[in-house]
Amino acid sequence: MSIAEQAPAYIRAISPYQPGKPISELARDMGLVEASIVKLASNENPLGISPKAKEAIARAVQDLARYPDGNGFELKAALSERTGVPMSGIVLGNGSNDVLELVARTFLTPGAEAVLSQHAFAVYPLATMAVGAKPVVVPAKDFGHDLDAMAAAVTDKTGVVFIANPNNPTGSFLPGDRLQAFLEKMPERVLVVLDEAYTEYLPDADRYDAIGWLTRFPNLLVTRTFSKAYGLAGLRVGYGLGDAGVVDLLNRVRQPFNVNSLALAAATAALGDEEFLAKSAALNQRGMNQLTRAFEAMSLSWLPSWGNFVTVKVGDGDTVYRALLAEGVIVRPIASYGMPEWLRVSIGLPEENARFIDALKRVLVG
Ligand SMILES: *Cc1c(COP(=O)(O)O)cnc(C)c1O
């Protein structure tokens, strides 16, 4: 038996996460110039990073020989001021992925179950399986979370329920009152992770106050990220908001310096750049209209999305994905999410969206 085969069966059963193809890789593969490539594959912010974050990074670069502040005091203080959650209720992560993993390591054991939805974010089953627990995948309803079915799937073995709102890759959204009703039904011993990676893109009419629910539901953990609307995906920083007792445990499990100095400085500055956030959300709304109008004109079906991406039905997703690559356009095939006929497209700059639409027309219509 090889050494790799000595690893536990539950580890060997994990399918690797499939990230969006990097621009540099496509350039190498196809002999293309990087600047000619449009990447709409990882829900990144097409505006780049906020100018305030850029300045903060330049300052923080001076001090990289030192370890970061392992408690992330300044970022937590800024988050606490903004959210009203005490610093003891905030855990920082190397991306919110890190927080999701901390949850699995802290609240799941081999043989325990995590309840999640079909077509939900791929990291939930990954984090669950990595600790030997079992993902219980509840069939989606209209490509979104079926909260009644998820509640019914909770058993004595359930340690965690994962909910993405909005969800990636389907873009579906659950109104606040439905989430609240779900929380009322949950046993107190089950941790509910409400992943709000795209919350900054929500129109005012759809906003709800999950943070306001924390005092009533100590088994709720809200996760958020600086990777999307704040434009800091490359730095890796996210956070969780919850009960101080839960956060204390997550903090014991995390690496002592899990968020690096540049990320801490940039995130603290980005949080104060309301102008950049508003600009990002407005650009997203315009780009969403641009893409969905084009889909409509091409008689393609798409899923209404509350995120910074839209998922469109194209026939054989993999074939269309590859034909788009040949056109220098990277999108995301989602066969691994059980949706082989669909592609997920991140909203880009108007000219990037136009490049994608033109390429899609050539690929589908010829
Ligand atoms: C992008 C995304 C995240 C954030 O990942 P980071 O690790 O913070 O970059 C979390 N949840 C969902 C649903 C996402 O789409």
Side-chain angles (χ1 to χ4, degrees):
M1 233 201 269
S2 72
I3 181 67
E5 283 166 323
Q6 304 294 323
Y10 60 79
I11 296 292
R12 288 180 285 128
I14 294 174
S15 336
Y17 181 79
Q18 295 175 353
K21 196 186 221 7
I23 290 177
S24 55
E25 189 180 306
L26 182 63
R28 275 197 307 275
D29 290 356
M30 301 259 182
L32 297 172
V33 183
E34 287 197 14
S36 75
I37 294 172
V38 170
K39 184 186 177 209
L40 301 173
S42 301
N43 303 345
E44 294 142 341
N45 191 326
L47 291 175
I49 77 174
S50 107
K52 288 194 173 141
K54 211 177 255 184
E55 285 163 29
I57 291 168
R59 280 192 302 275
V61 160
Q62 309 299 323
D63 219 13
L64 286 185
R66 308 253 175 231
Y67 278 99
D69 172 4
N71 284 320
F73 179 87
E74 283 184 27
L75 178 54
K76 278 194 205 166
L79 285 168
S80 177
E81 195 184 312
R82 191 150 296 246
T83 61
V85 176
M87 285 172 69
S88 58
I90 305 176
V91 58
L92 302 180
N94 184 32
S96 55
N97 272 248
D98 189 22
V99 179
L100 300 173
E101 277 194 24
L102 295 176
V103 164
R105 285 163 58 200
T106 307
F107 286 95
L108 295 174
T109 49
E113 296 177 350
V115 172
L116 48 106
S117 175
Q118 179 191 21
H119 312 310
F121 189 42
V123 169
Y124 310 151
L126 276 179
T128 300
M129 290 174 76
V131 297
K134 185 179 156 212
V136 175
V137 182
V138 176
K141 192 162 101 188
D142 302 328
F143 292 98
H145 293 60
D146 181 345
L147 288 183
D148 291 336
M150 288 179 77
V154 169
T155 69
D156 288 347
K157 288 187 181 166
T158 308
V160 178
V161 177
F162 290 104
I163 298 173
N165 202 44
N167 183 44
N168 168 20
T170 61
S172 61
F173 176 75
L174 297 160
D177 53 348
R178 304 244 311 272
L179 288 168
Q180 215 172 343
F182 178 83
L183 286 165
E184 308 272 6
K185 277 196 265 182
M186 276 304 103
E188 276 172 42
R189 45 160 202 88
V190 174
L191 185 75
V192 178
V193 176
L194 181 59
D195 178 351
E196 297 188 332
Y198 301 95
T199 199
E200 295 83 3
Y201 291 106
L202 291 179
D204 286 342
D206 290 325
R207 289 187 178 275
Y208 59 93
D209 179 24
I211 292 169
W213 303 338
L214 289 173
T215 41
R216 243 179 83 214
F217 302 108
N219 60 333
L220 171 64
L221 186 77
V222 177
T223 63
R224 293 188 177 170
T225 182
F226 286 93
S227 297
K228 307 285 160 58
Y230 288 101
L232 300 179
L235 280 176
R236 315 302 304 125
V237 50
Y239 57 98
L241 306 168
D243 172 70
V246 168
V247 165
D248 172 44
L249 293 175
L250 299 175
N251 273 322
R252 294 188 213 183
V253 170
R254 72 175 172 84
Q255 286 183 35
F257 303 106
N258 62 334
V259 185
N260 71 74
S261 312
L262 299 183
L264 288 172
T268 309
L271 204 55
D273 198 343
E274 306 259 0
E275 197 186 321
F276 180 80
L277 208 60
K279 213 167 123 184
S280 301
L283 180 80
N284 189 61
Q285 194 50 56
R286 283 201 302 278
M288 187 72 82
N289 293 340
Q290 186 186 359
L291 289 186
T292 54
R293 272 200 302 264
F295 295 154
E296 200 166 300
M298 297 169 76
S299 302
L300 297 174
S301 311
W302 74 92
L303 301 177
S305 170
W306 276 257
N308 65 345
F309 56 88
V310 56
T311 292
V312 57
K313 196 169 188 181
V314 293
D316 181 10
D318 196 52
T319 305
V320 176
Y321 164 68
R322 280 194 248 189
L324 288 170
L325 286 183
E327 299 269 346
V329 177
I330 312 174
V331 298
R332 188 69 156 271
I334 49 174
S336 61
Y337 283 90
M339 298 174 69
E341 299 182 323
W342 302 76
L343 292 175
R344 191 194 70 194
V345 188
S346 306
I347 309 298
L349 298 171
E351 55 273 26
E352 294 175 318
N353 301 331
R355 269 276 310 275
F356 160 70
I357 292 164
D358 286 347
L360 187 67
K361 279 185 192 155
R362 273 196 297 280
V363 166
L364 291 182
V365 186

